[in-house]
């Protein structure tokens, strides 16, 4: 038997494909984007409004059946400036990711912030959604191009301090 | 002695812990509309509602599931939305069948700091290709690159039984017939029918020597159990199914290094759990493939007088990560009803019965 080098490395490529189920509640939220709407749900027990709608209240563990439509305006509770390039990046750096607390919601979600210089961004900034052209609306948050400052005075810290 | 009732003698642990409530989803081939949280919510609501308690009455929450079924990391965290976790309480998770989550909860209850726990499990086989998902749990050097699916591995096991003179064909068909017929009385069963063993033996091979009837269905499902210790068990349940013995053992990861015709881990776990100490009325065995029921009942020393899988077992419904916990729940139900006084419940994990958990439940 010929002398062979021991095997020291092995390439074990793995690929698994999945069909993801958004769920009943999340589907309502996604269909809302098709119509230019932010859809959330209210918990019957604590009355909090969650957006995106998620079907159950994480605090109380009860079904959140009541649909709530949220407005296009909200407060950016906090943000970060992305400077680091990464694989799959579609937006030119630097750019701002902000946590958007829509008016009436009790849960913030991440959104792209544009139309403001990086050095002027600050917590509590009042923002509004800028939607794509209606022809481009689909069941995805990508129907919203980004959020931009809407010119209102910054929100009082007390109004969003619990959402940090 | 509790004011309400007495406790059975324990083989495992010091503190009597009873299964006092159980609920499961309607086992289906594919749950397209609801995600895991939406499936769990009614099940958790039911398991609490059965005994009139809320999440605030349990001191520990433990779940069993796997990210590989969903295709996303930390997927089990979102499942807690189905329970509601304020005020905060101790919580844990195992990337395993919920039967092992139950084991963890049982261990914590032994300590004495808490008196009750919620255990739940969920698994949707429909989201990905289950054969591929389960293949990646295998030895990454020698086995996984071959991508052997669970049916092929089980077929190797069944063939090994035939080659060593063990029964398979006829015994498997009889067992499958019995399970699927029993499943007709199980409202949660996915596959149930009344067909003769002769008819089953005429089926085509799925993977020789296994015919279709020997295979489990693909199932989306979830389940939940409430455990209560000591007096608390009698507060919530008239006849708690006390866990008098519970143990789990694991064999080597390498399928090729095992004698697949026997299950030493089940045998040892059964001995440690005290299966043979007294008469066993029923046994819920987590045998996804029909021939595995033969191996398991031999390992546990179960005689002809034991009623096997009155629920229909995993042949009736096989929700991943949940089927083992469901065996415990199904056994407990029959103790609550008085249909059984002493039951064995078993759960398995890994290829060809690699890892096995055995629990003995008794009603007083």
């Amino acid at each position: 038997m010929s002398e062979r080098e021991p095997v020291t490395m092995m390439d074990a490529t793995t690929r698994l494909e999945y069909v993801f189920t958004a769920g009943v509640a999340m589907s309502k939220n996604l269909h809302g984007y098709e119509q230019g709407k932010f859809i959330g749900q209210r918990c019957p027990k604590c009355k909090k409004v969650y957006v995106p709608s998620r079907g159950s209240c994480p605090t109380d563990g009860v079904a959140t059946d009541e649909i709530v439509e949220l407005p296009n305006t909200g407060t950016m509770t906090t943000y970060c400036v992305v400077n680091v390039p990464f694989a799959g990046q579609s937006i030119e750096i630097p750019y701002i990711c902000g946590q958007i607390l829509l008016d009436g919601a009790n849960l913030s979600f991440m959104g792209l912030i544009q139309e403001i210089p990086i050095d002027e961004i600050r917590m509590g900034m009042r923002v509004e959604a800028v939607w794509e052209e209606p022809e481009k609306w689909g069941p995805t948050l990508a129907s919203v191009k980004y959020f931009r400052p809407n010119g209102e005075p910054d929100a009082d810290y007390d109004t969003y301090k619990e959402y940090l | 002695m509790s004011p309400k009732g007495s406790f059975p003698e324990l083989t495992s642990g010091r503190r009597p812990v009873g299964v006092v409530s159980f609920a499961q989803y309607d086992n289906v081939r594919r749950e397209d509309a609801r995600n895991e949280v939406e499936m769990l919510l009614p099940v958790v609501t039911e398991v609490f509602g059965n005994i009139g308690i809320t999440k605030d009455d349990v001191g520990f929450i433990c779940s069993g599931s796997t990210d590989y079924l969903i295709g996303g990391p930390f997927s089990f965290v979102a499942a807690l939305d189905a329970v509601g976790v304020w005020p905060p309480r101790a919580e844990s998770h195992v990337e395993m069948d919920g039967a092992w989550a139950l084991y963890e909860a049982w261990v914590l209850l032994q300590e004495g700091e808490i008196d009750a726990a919620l255990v739940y499990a969920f698994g949707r086989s429909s989201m990905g290709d289950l054969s591929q998902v389960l293949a990646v749990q295998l030895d990454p050097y020698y086995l996984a690159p071959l991508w052997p699916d669970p049916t092929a591995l089980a077929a190797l096991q069944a063939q090994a039984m035939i080659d060593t003179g063990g029964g398979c064909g006829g015994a498997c068909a009889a067992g499958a017939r019995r399970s699927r017929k029993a499943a007709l009385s199980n409202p949660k069963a996915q596959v149930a029918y009344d067909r003769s063993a002769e008819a089953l033996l005429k089926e085509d091979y799925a993977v020789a020597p296994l015919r279709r009837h020997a295979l489990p269905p693909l199932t989306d499902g979830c389940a939940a159990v409430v455990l209560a210790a000591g007096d608390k068990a009698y507060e919530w349940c008239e006849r708690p199914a006390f866990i008098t013995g519970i143990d789990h053992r694991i064999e080597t990861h390498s399928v090729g290094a095992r004698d697949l015709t026997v299950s030493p881990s089940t045998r040892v776990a059964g001995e440690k759990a005290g299966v043979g100490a007294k008469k066993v009325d029923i046994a819920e065995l987590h045998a996804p493939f029909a021939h595995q029921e033969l191996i398991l009942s031999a390992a546990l020393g179960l005689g002809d007088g034991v009623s096997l899988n009155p629920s229909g077992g995993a042949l009736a419904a096989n929700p991943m990560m949940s089927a083992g916990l469901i065996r415990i729940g199904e056994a407990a139900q029959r103790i609550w009803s008085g249909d059984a006084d002493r039951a064995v419940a078993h759960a398995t994990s890994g290829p060809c019965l690699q890892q096995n958990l055995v629990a003995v439940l008794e009603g007083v």
Side-chain angles (χ1 to χ4, degrees), chain B residues 70-82:
Chain B
I70 295 166
F74 297 106
S75 51
F76 55 90
V77 176
L80 286 166
D81 283 2

Side-chain angles (χ1 to χ4, degrees), chain A residues 19-82:
Chain A
V19 174
F20 180 73
T21 302
V24 174
M26 190 65 174
S27 293
K28 291 190 163 82
N29 170 267
L30 294 172
H31 284 310
Y33 295 131
E34 286 177 322
Q35 291 156 38
K37 297 178 184 176
F38 290 105
I39 298 294
Q41 285 175 326
R42 190 193 314 274
C43 171
K45 196 159 175 230
C46 68
K47 307 301 182 192
K48 285 190 180 167
V49 174
Y50 297 104
V51 56
S53 44
R54 51 204 287 159
S56 96
C57 174
T59 309
D60 300 308
V62 299
T64 53
D65 293 326
E66 184 191 335
I67 300 290
V68 176
E69 205 184 304
L70 286 308
N72 279 322
T73 54
T75 301
M76 189 189 69
T77 59
T78 185
Y79 65 93
C80 86
V81 180
V82 180

Side-chain angles (χ1 to χ4, degrees), chain B residues 23-110:
Chain B
Q24 62 177 306
Y25 200 69
D26 289 332
N27 294 294
V28 291
R29 168 66 182 87
R30 194 184 305 273
E31 171 52 75
D32 271 342
R34 294 189 185 87
N35 62 19
E36 287 76 5
V37 177
E38 292 165 338
M39 289 168 71
L40 270 169
L41 191 52
V43 169
V44 172
T45 302
E46 186 187 328
V47 89
F48 285 150
N50 283 344
I51 52 177
I53 65 169
T54 71
K55 63 176 172 65
D56 299 320
D57 293 307
V58 297
F60 181 56
I61 302 167
C62 197
S63 62
S65 69
T66 175
D67 288 341
Y68 282 87
L69 280 179
I70 295 166
F74 297 106
S75 51
F76 55 90
V77 176
L80 286 166
D81 283 2
V83 183
V85 281
W86 187 266
R89 73 207 57 240
E91 184 268 340
S92 182
H93 172 265
V94 291
E95 278 281 309
M96 304 198 65
D97 190 288
W100 276 268
L102 183 144
Y103 184 86
E104 180 171 340
W106 176 84
V107 169
L108 193 64
L109 286 164
Q110 293 299 309

Side-chain angles (χ1 to χ4, degrees), chain B residues 282-364:
Chain B
I282 64 163
E284 283 281 333
L285 305 177
H286 182 191
F289 296 90
H291 64 279
Q292 292 173 337
E293 202 187 77
L294 303 169
I295 297 172
L296 292 168
S297 59
L300 291 168
L302 302 176
D304 290 334
V306 181
S307 173
L308 296 179
N309 284 327
S311 69
L315 291 180
N318 192 30
M320 285 289 116
M321 303 299 130
S322 318
L325 182 66
I326 288 172
R327 303 280 72 73
I328 297 174
E330 292 281 2
Q333 269 186 334
R334 285 158 178 84
I335 289 182
W336 301 331
S337 67
D339 287 340
D341 293 324
R342 194 162 184 272
V344 169
H346 156 271
T348 195
S349 180
C352 299
L353 306 177
Q354 179 203 2
Q355 180 175 17
N356 295 282
L357 179 147
V358 177
V360 178
L361 306 176
E362 286 183 40
V364 176

Side-chain angles (χ1 to χ4, degrees), chain B residues 165-189:
Chain B
C168 191
C172 287
R177 163 184 156 69
R178 179 196 6 92
S179 285
R180 299 247 161 76
K181 188 172 176 198
L184 289 167
S185 327
N186 178 356
K188 300 291 184 178

